[in-house]
Amino acid sequence: MARQALTFFIVFAGLLLVTRGCNKPPAASTAVGVESLLSVAGDLKDAVELRDDERGLVVTLGADGTIISAKAKDGWLIRKVNPARRPFHLLERTAAGTRYLPSAPWTTEKLEDGGYAFVHARGDWTIRKEFRLRPEGDGLDCLLKVEQAGEEVSEYTMTALSGVDLGGEASIQEPYTLVQVAGERARLRSWRTVIRGQERMREERQRRINEDEDVPERADYSTRVSLRADQNLGRLAVLGERSLVRLDDLPPATEVRTVAYKLQRDEGTGREIESWLALPLASRGYEGTFRLRWDARAKAGAIEPAFNELARGREEQTVVLANETLRLELTDRGASINSLLLKKFVEVAGQENTPENWVPMIRDAVPAGQRALTMLLKDPERYGIDPADATWKVVESSQTSATFRLDANGWSFEKRIALPDEEDRYDLDVGIRITKPDGDPDDRIKYVLVGPAGSYIADTKRGVLFTGGAQGFLSEREGGDNEEIMQEAVSKGESLEHTFGGDTAHVLKGIGVQGAFFTCILRIPGKDEEGAASSVRGQIRSLRMTRDIPFLEEGETYRDSMQGRLDASAGFGRGRVAEVRYQLYAGPNDIDRLRPIGFADAVDFGMFSSIGRLLMWVMKSFEGFLGSFGLAIMFMTLLVRAILLPVSYKSQLSVQQYSKRMQKLKPMLEELEKKFGKNRQRLNQERMRVMKENKVGFPLGCLMMFVQIPIWIALFGALRVEFSLRHEDFLWAADLSMPDRLFA
């Protein structure tokens, strides 16, 4: 009983410590970390409502002067979020770090015009927020007034927009946020761009931690827009599922931050965009009126032209290129590949060669902004547009090629994608041309090009013993090492990355993702080839597909795939133009097809690859005469056995001779055993002496056996990956690349 009581006390004390830790405010820091914002708790008590019954509008305000939610007749405008995330929530920056304003004590006052005021007092200073519904019913006005004596607080930061309804998990693929400096062009940024920026900052911070242990524990992953003394923010906006929510005519603010984070809602957890405003000189006093408005999504384009196509729900426009070998569907969203089908192959043996059965070398389930041949810029705001998410204009299109162009802020980006001229080739020609504006001082432009993305890996799960799964790889040029990473490791969050220095800028030859029989490779031109770019870094990373993809004949699905990316730069030549060229191979994992582009080594025949390649050449030669791979395998096996027959005969003969001689020496060896049985060392010495005098040595048969083992291992490894055997039938076998299914 005493032991049970002690156990109960320990468990209770542990839970108490955990509870206190969860409710503990964030540790002092000079930066607002993304994760730290989730640790603040709150409740909905003492909430009040602003109502417009005629329009069916209800705005719920928290007791601390924050917006809990806003709902109209046709649905949510702003949804409930973590209390520390609500619009108009304030943070204080002090010498000790950043802290949240407490949810209490605040006093609530009902105003004569129907609005509400919220006042927070501490010592000699007060904060006052006043909220009023706009007469037009399209939003509300908020007056923020800070009166403070003293220098304890150096700055206030206010949540501007958060909780904008994005329509749930299925609809948040492409929410957008907008930041506009007064008198300047609006900057439109996608949710994915924000996420990518944070991922890069996290990776960079992790790299710095690995190199320097003194890096601060918490980092600021937010994206900032800092203003000059003569500038002010014009508006902030987030385009939601049904409405455009915006802050217009903003009072002075020093900067805005856009943070992607885990948004905690009452009904679940999602990801959202949030904007923060830093209020200048708020420590000595601040006053400003914020106008929060919402409009139907259909009106978003009229309010801000940057949202024009998005507000109308514009469908992506596709361009289809086709020849006898490939069917390529391109999309104007990022000028990227939506799908790529191999017309000469079907997924499962015995299927008809119809479009629905063609091998989808690149699937149409890759999220926008991450598709093959997507181009990303390091700093899209500088160029006035993000090429990965923008809509490119189709300026030229034929049955075998298409050219896309994107113009912004004097910059021009052009991408041409063309099918090969010859039949039975699978390498696309990709040309990128970038023109910079007059007066731009940069001599190079840095970019990221997505290579293999969502490649065909379903055929790796074929039930063949010792068959490896899908993998990604980085291939180096002469003298370099190839690096590989398996699909299972990528799905668990690992990645493969290799960075090259300036003196080895052209070592990287290609980035690939391959399954059992098909491979997708982005080939990078060498420094002596036309259109070469400086390769800085190659990377294989995880890719989450937009839907479940079935494995072949397995009844299972997968959603985690792989993506290859290339960090590169290109120099501007005459006419302010930078041009680079690439090849994207998407086809069979076959030596004869890969050799012309320099990737014959992408087919892995195992540790004895040279022997395996020779055996496969022999097998194909037999198939050319016999017309059947089944017979070719049989004759190749007989040929190998015939070549090894002398070795086998010599081996057996050697064993027989050894056995006969040992029989003659048996009496002598038995005498030695009786004489020196207790002295094993002397016994072995005498045995060796007797065998040497009678010319009895180690049998060559054992050594001959080791000569044969590499040949059979190479043959086994080659037959597992030889593309020529895929879907080849023989007798009862429908597919020679699959296990024998005569009895199962």
Side-chain angles (χ1 to χ4, degrees), residues 48-342:
V48 297
E49 292 182 346
L50 295 174
R51 305 181 66 93
D52 186 336
D53 295 329
E54 180 180 349
R55 297 179 174 87
L57 178 65
V58 180
V59 179
T60 305
L61 304 173
D64 57 349
T66 58
I67 299 177
I68 297 176
S69 65
K71 191 173 185 180
K73 286 181 179 179
D74 58 348
W76 291 100
L77 302 165
I78 296 175
R79 303 178 74 121
K80 299 175 183 177
V81 299
N82 183 319
R85 300 290 199 169
R86 297 171 186 163
F88 296 98
H89 193 284
L90 290 174
L91 292 90
E92 301 175 328
R93 292 182 182 271
T94 68
T98 302
R99 66 189 182 193
Y100 291 87
L101 256 67
S103 56
W106 287 79
T107 59
T108 304
E109 303 174 8
K110 182 70 179 289
L111 303 177
E112 295 181 357
D113 55 6
Y116 282 93
F118 304 87
V119 180
H120 178 76
R122 187 192 306 166
D124 297 333
W125 60 271
T126 60
I127 298 177
R128 182 180 180 89
K129 303 177 187 176
E130 295 182 5
F131 292 91
R132 296 175 177 83
L133 282 178
R134 292 177 54 80
E136 297 82 358
D138 62 346
L140 68 157
D141 292 335
C142 172
L143 171 67
L144 173 63
K145 189 173 183 180
V146 179
E147 297 178 351
Q148 182 171 340
E151 297 294 336
E152 177 189 0
V153 179
S154 61
E155 181 188 87
Y156 281 99
T157 304
M158 185 188 79
T159 309
L161 292 177
S162 68
V164 177
D165 181 43
L166 303 177
E169 291 294 335
S171 303
I172 64 171
Q173 296 295 330
E174 293 300 329
Y176 278 77
T177 181
L178 177 144
V179 178
Q180 184 176 26
V181 177
E184 295 188 2
R185 179 189 177 92
R187 304 180 185 183
L188 183 65
R189 306 184 76 240
S190 76
W191 176 82
R192 295 191 183 282
T193 303
V194 177
I195 292 293
R196 284 196 300 266
Q198 284 198 54
E199 289 175 348
R200 286 197 296 269
M201 283 187 278
R202 289 173 190 265
E203 292 171 0
E204 174 63 20
R205 177 175 173 270
Q206 188 60 49
R207 184 189 65 79
R208 291 175 56 199
I209 289 176
N210 295 337
E211 296 176 356
D212 184 2
E213 296 180 356
D214 295 330
V215 175
E217 292 184 1
R218 198 180 302 156
D220 188 351
Y221 298 119
S222 58
T223 302
R224 277 187 196 82
V225 176
S226 300
L227 304 176
R228 302 192 306 265
D230 60 339
Q231 288 181 321
N232 189 29
L233 288 169
R235 70 182 64 179
L236 301 174
V238 173
L239 185 64
E241 183 184 41
R242 299 181 183 87
S243 59
L244 172 66
V245 180
R246 55 198 171 98
L247 278 174
D248 281 338
D249 305 324
L250 292 173
T254 56
E255 64 182 6
V256 61
R257 296 191 184 110
T258 300
V259 182
Y261 64 98
K262 276 197 172 297
L263 171 70
Q264 296 183 349
R265 296 178 177 150
D266 291 350
E267 66 272 22
T269 301
R271 301 182 84 172
E272 173 63 288
I273 291 173
E274 175 184 37
S275 298
W276 293 72
L277 289 172
L279 309 179
L281 305 177
S283 59
R284 297 196 293 273
Y286 179 86
E287 182 172 348
T289 300
F290 298 84
R291 294 181 179 176
L292 178 65
R293 302 184 186 181
W294 43 76
D295 301 273
R297 186 181 175 101
K299 296 181 180 179
I303 297 165
E304 173 48 61
F307 282 122
N308 239 326
E309 294 179 348
L310 300 169
R312 293 198 305 268
R314 176 188 182 278
E315 296 291 334
E316 295 181 32
Q317 303 299 313
T318 58
V319 177
V320 176
L321 311 181
N323 58 17
E324 295 297 322
T325 305
L326 305 169
R327 183 189 185 275
L328 178 65
E329 183 179 273
L330 304 171
T331 172
D332 61 355
R333 181 70 173 279
S336 56
I337 296 178
N338 191 47
S339 69
L340 176 57
L341 302 176
L342 306 184

Side-chain angles (χ1 to χ4, degrees), residues 88 114 118 130 154 225 243 268 320 371 414 423 429 443 475 487 494 591 630 638 642 673 742:
F88 296 98
F118 304 87
E130 295 182 5
S154 61
V225 176
S243 59
V320 176
R371 297 168 179 156
E414 194 172 281
E423 188 179 343
D429 185 69
D443 58 353
S475 179
Q487 162 71 13
E494 298 181 30
I591 292 179
L638 291 175
E673 182 75 27
L742 178 60

